[in-house]
Amino acid sequence: MIGGRHQAPKRQQGKSGSSGGERKVGETMQQEAPYGDWQQLQRSMGNRMVGNLLQRSVLRNSAASPAAVIQRAPGLPTKQELQGEGLKSGKKAFGKTSWGKLEEALAAYEKLGDTDYPAQEELMKQIEVIIGDWKASYDKRKTKKKQDEAKLTKVEHILDRIRQRRMAIQEAEAPPSVGREVRRRAEAFRGAPVPVLKQEEKKQEKSDVLKLREYLEGNSYSDDGRNYLSWGVGEIKHVSWKAHVGSADAVERLAMAKAVSPRLRSWDVYHKFDISETEGPIGKFLTVYPPKEDGDWAHIVTMLENAVSGFAPVEVEGDMPVGETGQVHMRHGQNTPLTPAMLKDVQGVEQKGQLGEYPRYVGEAVQGQGLPLLLEMKKGILFFSKTLKAPPQLSNQHIYMAILVDGRIVPDKREEPNPANVLLPTGVKEFERKKQ
């Protein structure tokens, strides 16, 4: 019942007691349990019973894989934990009003039973909104020097536990057939070959894309007319760092969006999701554009890493993996086209001559390793030809877009994560792969 605590079964006397029952069930499962039955075992017997069996080593010699046993994610912090050594400072961290709301929501959450999933989800949404509102207000402070990194760490910790709990609920509520998909995600994460999905699973993935669209449109994302849904508008720098997160397959995308979207929106960070109807990997499933201050990148990367840590990693071609896990990638390059008007204050560049139908620009500021810098007259944009001849057409196969970085005009080579050799944002480090 929603609102009631989960009660352990009463212990009976004699041979019919819980100890004997557990031993009998354990022996049966030891002989009969196949790889995919652990989830059903947990549902029918409950977390406590399964835990007791494991502790007594009744299931230790079972033929089932240990990976099949559902590991419950930790719940949210209690009020006592929030005020204790792990998350102390209470009202000082959140402010009196936000703290009161958070305390009430956590108190209500503590009264729920282990399997009161709908009520848990509802309260987690409330808690996330409270923290998101506080974080948005905190980020608007005039000076970053007044911000307390310890407070931000507390916020990240609570939101990370919400994400973990949500993932546990999703797996616990999933129908038995989803067990195959859980194994596919685990295999993809380990780098093992992913089995081909059956036709009925492909149909399900298409419906997952539709659910993703509904979720994003319901949160004020706009369709750009291509295959993206974007949130946030406003001025954006000509060149800057962008962050990307890949998605292994369509089944995971809605959960990934729910994990990161509320945070990015509360931080007022421009971003977009690729909603292509593809079953395979999307390298740039999420694109995060630069925040108002470069110093915020470190917090954004940390949040993204925590949010997507439970999903299969995807290499993003042309990007640099960053952070502690390498699941977040970054690239420095063009956001808006380079136009002649942007060169009016740049020293060492001038228009001189033609190459085919295109006016040519030369000078010390042009650093394209000998490639010609040309102007497309109709659109008024500058680009580099990949050869010393005029390009037959304006496509990625034949040209590089030109970018202006610190008074230098260089080609934006898409195969390189940092073509202008710019330092990473403060607090962000390149991911170091472990040597095999």
Side-chain angles (χ1 to χ4, degrees):
M1 182 178 72
I2 293 178
R5 287 188 177 275
H6 176 75
Q7 298 293 330
K10 293 182 178 179
R11 184 178 298 276
Q12 298 180 8
Q13 302 296 324
K15 295 182 180 180
S16 61
S18 62
S19 177
E22 291 172 2
R23 190 158 45 245
K24 182 177 181 181
V25 172
E27 292 169 355
T28 302
M29 291 303 300
Q30 203 171 11
Q31 297 172 5
E32 301 175 1
Y35 180 86
D37 283 355
W38 291 109
Q39 189 173 49
Q40 186 61 39
L41 175 64
Q42 184 204 31
R43 288 177 180 171
S44 60
M45 297 176 61
N47 294 333
R48 185 169 300 180
M49 183 78 81
V50 173
N52 289 340
L53 292 173
L54 289 172
Q55 288 177 3
R56 298 179 186 185
S57 301
V58 175
L59 304 180
R60 183 172 296 169
N61 298 321
S62 173
S65 168
V69 180
I70 296 177
Q71 300 296 325
R72 300 296 294 179
L76 298 181
T78 64
K79 290 190 298 180
Q80 289 75 17
E81 288 177 325
L82 199 65
Q83 294 171 312
E85 290 301 318
L87 289 169
K88 61 185 177 182
S89 79
K91 296 177 183 178
K92 293 182 180 179
F94 289 94
K96 187 174 181 180
T97 302
S98 295
W99 171 260
K101 293 179 180 178
L102 179 62
E103 193 175 44
E104 290 176 6
L106 285 171
Y109 182 91
E110 290 173 34
K111 296 178 181 179
L112 298 178
D114 291 345
T115 57
D116 291 336
Y117 299 143
Q120 289 182 27
E121 283 276 17
E122 184 61 33
L123 279 169
M124 282 191 287
K125 288 179 182 178
Q126 294 180 26
I127 293 168
E128 210 164 27
V129 169
I130 294 168
I131 295 176
D133 289 345
W134 174 87
K135 183 67 170 61
S137 175
Y138 197 70
D139 283 345
K140 290 180 180 179
R141 295 192 174 189
K142 292 183 179 180
T143 172
K144 297 290 182 180
K145 292 181 179 179
K146 293 184 178 180
Q147 292 191 354
D148 186 346
E149 288 295 326
K151 295 179 183 179
L152 295 172
T153 300
K154 294 175 180 65
V155 171
E156 294 290 348
H157 181 69
I158 295 174
L159 290 171
D160 184 51
R161 294 180 74 170
I162 289 176
R163 179 188 63 79
Q164 292 180 36
R165 185 63 182 175
R166 278 210 177 112
M167 289 177 63
I169 290 174
Q170 289 173 3
E171 291 192 3
E173 288 189 305
S177 61
V178 176
R180 291 174 294 177
E181 184 52 43
V182 173
R183 291 198 296 276
R184 288 181 71 253
R185 289 208 306 266
E187 289 165 354
F189 185 84
R190 293 194 301 267
V194 178
V196 177
L197 294 174
K198 294 182 180 179
Q199 191 63 35
E200 60 269 20
E201 290 174 312
K202 293 182 179 180
K203 292 179 180 178
Q204 178 62 35
E205 286 181 348
K206 290 185 179 180
S207 69
D208 288 332
V209 175
L210 295 178
K211 290 177 183 177
L212 173 62
R213 175 182 279 277
E214 290 175 359
Y215 170 77
L216 295 174
E217 289 180 341
N219 284 284
S220 303
Y221 284 77
S222 59
D223 195 326
D224 69 351
R226 298 178 297 167
N227 57 320
Y228 295 99
L229 284 176
S230 304
W231 190 91
V233 292
E235 294 184 3
I236 192 169
K237 298 177 182 178
H238 163 56
V239 292
S240 66
W241 286 99
K242 290 172 286 210
H244 296 111
V245 177
S247 168
D249 58 64
V251 175
E252 294 184 335
R253 284 167 200 153
L254 177 59
M256 290 181 70
K258 288 183 176 181
V260 300
S261 170
R263 304 299 306 283
L264 292 172
R265 286 185 281 117
S266 70
W267 291 355
D268 196 25
V269 176
Y270 176 32
H271 61 284
K272 67 183 181 183
F273 291 94
D274 188 331
I275 56 169
S276 301
E277 290 193 2
T278 177
E279 300 155 9
I282 296 179
K284 297 178 181 179
F285 169 62
L286 168 66
T287 300
V288 181
Y289 289 95
K292 294 177 182 178
E293 296 188 31
D294 284 346
D296 292 337
W297 267 123
H299 298 307
I300 292 173
V301 170
T302 298
M303 181 276 290
L304 292 175
E305 281 193 310
N306 290 335
V308 303
S309 62
F311 300 101
V314 177
E315 291 292 330
V316 181
E317 185 177 357
D319 277 26
M320 175 194 308
V322 297
E324 299 296 332
T325 66
Q327 281 193 258
V328 179
H329 294 69
M330 295 189 74
R331 183 182 187 278
H332 187 275
Q334 182 196 79
N335 294 320
T336 63
L338 179 62
T339 65
M342 297 168 66
L343 302 179
K344 62 181 181 179
D345 296 325
V346 178
Q347 300 294 322
V349 60
E350 60 178 330
Q351 182 182 331
K352 186 175 182 181
Q354 297 260 139
L355 187 61
E357 61 182 273
Y358 304 106
R360 183 170 183 172
Y361 283 73
V362 297
E364 293 180 0
V366 181
Q367 299 179 12
Q369 294 83 43
L371 299 179
L373 176 63
L374 308 175
L375 172 66
E376 204 286 324
M377 296 291 289
K378 292 182 180 179
K379 296 182 179 180
I381 58 175
L382 290 155
F383 65 91
F384 283 93
S385 174
K386 289 187 177 181
T387 68
L388 298 180
K389 299 179 180 180
Q393 54 183 317
L394 301 181
S395 67
N396 291 336
Q397 182 181 356
H398 301 286
I399 71 169
Y400 294 117
M401 298 307 296
I403 52 177
L404 176 63
V405 181
D406 297 329
R408 300 175 293 132
I409 306 172
V410 298
D412 187 8
K413 297 182 178 181
R414 291 288 173 170
E415 64 271 20
E416 298 179 11
N418 191 5
N421 196 25
V422 176
L423 293 175
L424 277 166
T426 303
V428 178
K429 63 180 181 179
E430 184 175 358
F431 175 66
E432 297 182 4
R433 301 185 184 278
K434 295 181 179 180
K435 296 182 180 179
Q436 298 295 332

